[in-house]
Amino acid sequence: MLAVFTSTAVLSGQQTSIEGLPESKVRVIIYEDLQCPDCAAFRRMLDDKILPRYADKIAFVHRDFPLAKHAWARKAAIASRYFAELKPELGLEYRRHIMSTIKETTPENFNDKLAEFARKNAVDPAAALAALNDSRLAGLVERDFQDGIARGVAKTPTVFVSGKPFIETFSFEELRRALDDALAGN
């Protein structure tokens, strides 16, 4: 199995999760809403097709862009930040997990699902739930959101490859061409 590099890094003054090769000159910026079905589809594409092909060449930088129409997206983004601070891979695993359980997760059971994920990963559930009220973590999510707005992001996912946005729904082939061009310096 291909090893995927992960890290929590400071990028432009923001703490963020990175998959792939953190020191790569080619950086793909991904604005995502953890309650968004299109983001969940992109997450599957990332895991199944993109990372196996590009993880050793490109940095994939995750940014939070929780849309107001999604009741628990902001809480999920804060939880992801909390888990990433404990262990970078755990933050990414939470992102994968919550996007794969969108249909089963509701505003009413979100906290129970969060506590269950924490328990399964040897994290104190009470601490994970308390993190939802951490203003510092909420501030990091809000900075990502405001950065996205400044870049013109309005829908998720929005994926920037060499400044070119891929918005909401796009194919692997479209993204592959842009990634290959970026690696070639085009």
Side-chain angles (χ1 to χ4, degrees), residues 90-107:
L90 188 57
L92 290 165
E93 184 55 36
Y94 181 73
R95 293 176 100 77
R96 283 185 202 97
H97 168 77
I98 197 66
M99 284 194 269
S100 71
T101 60
I102 286 173
K103 291 180 181 176
E104 300 89 49
T105 305
T106 66

Side-chain angles (χ1 to χ4, degrees), residues 13 26 29 64 73 84 101 112 127 129 131 136 158 160 165 179:
V26 177
I29 310 299
D64 293 303
T101 60
D112 292 337
L129 291 167
R136 184 183 58 78
T158 296
F160 288 95
L179 294 172

Side-chain angles (χ1 to χ4, degrees), residues 3 26 33 47 57 73 83-84 93 106 110 115 120 123 152 154-155 183:
V26 177
D33 173 313
D47 288 336
K57 302 175 189 97
F83 290 123
E93 184 55 36
T106 66
F110 177 84
K120 286 181 178 178
V123 174
K155 298 180 178 185
L183 287 170

Side-chain angles (χ1 to χ4, degrees), residues 129-142:
L129 291 167
L132 297 176
N133 297 313
D134 185 320
S135 61
R136 184 183 58 78
L137 295 174
L140 293 171
V141 170
E142 183 60 23

Side-chain angles (χ1 to χ4, degrees), residues 20-113:
L21 188 63
E23 63 274 5
S24 176
K25 292 180 183 180
V26 177
R27 302 181 93 62
V28 174
I29 310 299
I30 304 164
Y31 286 91
E32 58 197 348
D33 173 313
L34 301 180
Q35 192 177 346
C36 166
D38 290 328
C39 294
F42 176 69
R43 179 75 245 180
R44 287 187 299 277
M45 182 194 304
L46 193 62
D47 288 336
D48 296 344
K49 296 180 179 179
I50 298 170
L51 288 172
R53 186 172 183 152
Y54 297 103
D56 61 341
K57 302 175 189 97
I58 296 175
F60 296 89
V61 181
H62 294 274
R63 297 279 177 90
D64 293 303
F65 200 81
L67 299 170
K69 69 181 181 178
H70 291 143
W72 49 261
R74 189 166 292 272
K75 287 171 64 172
I78 292 167
S80 174
R81 296 291 179 127
Y82 170 72
F83 290 123
E85 286 190 348
L86 298 178
K87 183 178 171 190
E89 179 56 37
L90 188 57
L92 290 165
E93 184 55 36
Y94 181 73
R95 293 176 100 77
R96 283 185 202 97
H97 168 77
I98 197 66
M99 284 194 269
S100 71
T101 60
I102 286 173
K103 291 180 181 176
E104 300 89 49
T105 305
T106 66
E108 295 76 28
N109 72 13
F110 177 84
N111 286 2
D112 292 337
K113 297 270 187 188

